[in-house]
């Protein structure tokens, strides 16, 4: 089974890292629970715009922490064909690949997905933290499965419920591994 793993919100705790920089740069303190939708803004700045700015700095990229349990789970899933997928801008690719080599040396396949192209990912399963990406992926093929890695910003009024037979909702990596086991048994 080929499994695509998104980086931000799945492997990398991008939002926590960005919130630390927002506090340092703007003097405004927020928590992950404040980010309740994908297009959340602070002081008129959308968080994804800020993250894009931050990702241009290779030192920042290397400081982004891991999502709890990610390394162990990826080791458990290593018997599958794993593919990293990201919509990070190309100017962050070299640092992103260095970050991946540091924390996930077993992840060799890398797919750059531009916004709105997750249906083109060559895999059977997509693990992502945004419902929009999961819906786009499973809508493209009824045999595909999506795992929504739940965060406060993960659900954004999409029609994801229409794909309930194709989607698993997982709040942490342990439940993701169980979902993969379930998908594997059913396929």
């Amino acid at each position: 089974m080929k499994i695509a793993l998104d980086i931000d919100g799945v492997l990398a705790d991008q939002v926590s890292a960005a919130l630390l920089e927002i506090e340092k740069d703007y003097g405004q303190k927020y928590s992950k629970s404040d980010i309740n939708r994908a297009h959340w803004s602070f002081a008129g700045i959308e968080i994804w715009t800020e993250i894009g700015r931050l990702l241009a700095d290779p030192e920042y990229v290397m400081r982004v922490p891991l999502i709890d349990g990610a390394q162990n789970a990826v080791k458990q899933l290593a018997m599958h064909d794993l593919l990293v997928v990201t919509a990070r801008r190309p100017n962050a690719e070299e640092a992103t690949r260095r970050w991946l080599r540091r924390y996930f040396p077993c992840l060799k396949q890398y797919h750059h997905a531009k916004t709105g192209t997750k249906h083109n990912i060559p895999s059977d399963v997509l693990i992502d933290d945004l419902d929009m990406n999961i819906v786009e992926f499973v809508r493209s093929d009824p045999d595909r499965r999506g795992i929504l890695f739940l965060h406060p910003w993960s659900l954004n009024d999409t029609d994801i419920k229409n794909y309930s037979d194709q989607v698993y909702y997982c709040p942490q990596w342990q439940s993701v591994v169980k979902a993969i086991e379930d998908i594997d048994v059913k396929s």
Side-chain angles (χ1 to χ4, degrees), residues 24-98:
K24 186 174 80 180
D25 294 348
Y26 300 92
Q28 297 180 19
K29 186 174 176 85
Y30 301 100
S31 70
K32 282 173 71 170
S33 62
D34 292 326
I35 319 311
N36 60 2
R37 62 192 174 284
H39 296 285
W40 180 83
S41 296
F42 69 97
I45 302 168
E46 192 170 301
I47 191 161
W48 303 119
T49 301
E50 185 66 9
I51 287 172
R53 180 187 74 78
L54 292 166
L55 285 171
D57 176 2
E59 290 179 23
Y60 168 81
V61 173
M62 296 308 291
R63 287 193 311 266
V64 174
L66 297 167
I67 294 285
D68 287 340
Q71 281 181 312
N72 186 46
V74 168
K75 287 177 189 169
Q76 289 178 274
L77 298 175
M79 82 276 293
H80 297 284
D81 188 6
L82 302 178
L83 165 73
V84 173
V85 62
T86 187
R88 287 181 175 184
R89 293 181 185 152
N91 66 347
E93 185 172 343
E94 184 180 325
T96 298
R97 286 180 182 265
R98 275 196 351 251

Side-chain angles (χ1 to χ4, degrees), residues 3-181:
I3 302 168
L5 306 155
D6 183 38
I7 296 176
D8 296 320
V10 174
L11 299 174
D13 193 354
Q14 181 69 258
V15 169
S16 290
L19 291 176
L20 288 173
E21 297 298 319
I22 289 168
E23 182 177 2
K24 186 174 80 180
D25 294 348
Y26 300 92
Q28 297 180 19
K29 186 174 176 85
Y30 301 100
S31 70
K32 282 173 71 170
S33 62
D34 292 326
I35 319 311
N36 60 2
R37 62 192 174 284
H39 296 285
W40 180 83
S41 296
F42 69 97
I45 302 168
E46 192 170 301
I47 191 161
W48 303 119
T49 301
E50 185 66 9
I51 287 172
R53 180 187 74 78
L54 292 166
L55 285 171
D57 176 2
E59 290 179 23
Y60 168 81
V61 173
M62 296 308 291
R63 287 193 311 266
V64 174
L66 297 167
I67 294 285
D68 287 340
Q71 281 181 312
N72 186 46
V74 168
K75 287 177 189 169
Q76 289 178 274
L77 298 175
M79 82 276 293
H80 297 284
D81 188 6
L82 302 178
L83 165 73
V84 173
V85 62
T86 187
R88 287 181 175 184
R89 293 181 185 152
N91 66 347
E93 185 172 343
E94 184 180 325
T96 298
R97 286 180 182 265
R98 275 196 351 251
W99 185 91
L100 287 165
R101 281 191 302 273
R102 175 186 286 172
Y103 296 112
F104 300 97
C106 69
L107 297 177
K108 306 284 187 209
Q109 296 181 68
Y110 186 94
H111 180 84
H112 183 260
K114 296 179 179 133
T115 304
T117 64
K118 294 240 173 155
H119 65 281
N120 291 330
I121 298 168
S123 67
D124 306 303
V125 177
L126 171 63
I127 304 169
D128 202 293
D129 64 318
L130 291 176
D131 58 349
M132 301 165 260
N133 296 330
I134 295 293
V135 169
E136 178 185 5
F137 181 79
V138 299
R139 182 185 292 145
S140 69
D141 184 334
D143 292 328
R144 289 176 147 187
R145 299 295 173 258
I147 297 176
L148 183 63
F149 202 106
L150 291 170
H151 292 286
W153 58 85
S154 294
L155 294 169
N156 294 279
D157 299 321
T158 64
D159 60 346
I160 195 167
K161 288 184 172 50
N162 293 343
Y163 302 94
S164 60
D165 59 329
Q166 290 176 265
V167 177
Y168 293 77
Y169 298 86
C170 297
Q172 30 92 14
W173 268 105
Q174 184 179 5
S175 57
V176 170
V177 171
K178 287 181 181 170
I180 293 293
E181 290 169 358

